[in-house]
Amino acid sequence: LQRIQALSRKEQILLKDSIYSCLARYEALKGAGYQCAVPGVAFDAAATECGLGTTIECFASPFNCRYRHYCSAFPNDPKRPSK
């Protein structure tokens, strides 16, 4: 919240517009459900037991990604902020 408040008024408006657009886009596509995701333990097992690592998620959105890098149905989805 502090990072958002530190933005200029114009940047805050652009951020809010971007968030709204992203939410509206996914809401319009939800249909019968957003996804059939596997639980976090499956990601952990793939990373450690299968040796796949934890670098990227193939099917995600800014709302449900587990890792910093993910592939989205929309090329202009906002990326997760740095921590």
Side-chain angles (χ1 to χ4, degrees):
L1 190 54
Q2 291 173 345
R3 289 172 63 182
I4 293 171
Q5 291 172 342
L7 298 172
S8 71
R9 178 78 175 133
K10 183 177 181 179
E11 290 172 324
Q12 287 181 18
I13 290 170
L14 289 172
L15 176 63
K16 289 176 185 177
D17 287 350
S18 177
I19 292 170
Y20 173 80
S21 295
C22 196
L23 286 169
R25 175 186 305 149
Y26 280 93
E27 182 64 22
L29 290 179
K30 77 175 179 182
Y34 292 107
Q35 63 183 13
C36 294
V38 296
V41 294
F43 282 102
D44 296 338
T48 57
E49 303 299 321
C50 300
L52 296 178
T54 57
T55 59
I56 192 167
E57 196 170 347
C58 292
F59 305 100
S61 78
F63 308 111
N64 70 354
C65 56
R66 183 174 174 90
Y67 304 116
R68 175 170 305 287
H69 302 287
Y70 62 91
C71 299
S72 171
F74 304 104
N76 63 341
D77 269 352
K79 299 301 178 200
R80 290 177 66 174
S82 300
K83 292 184 179 180

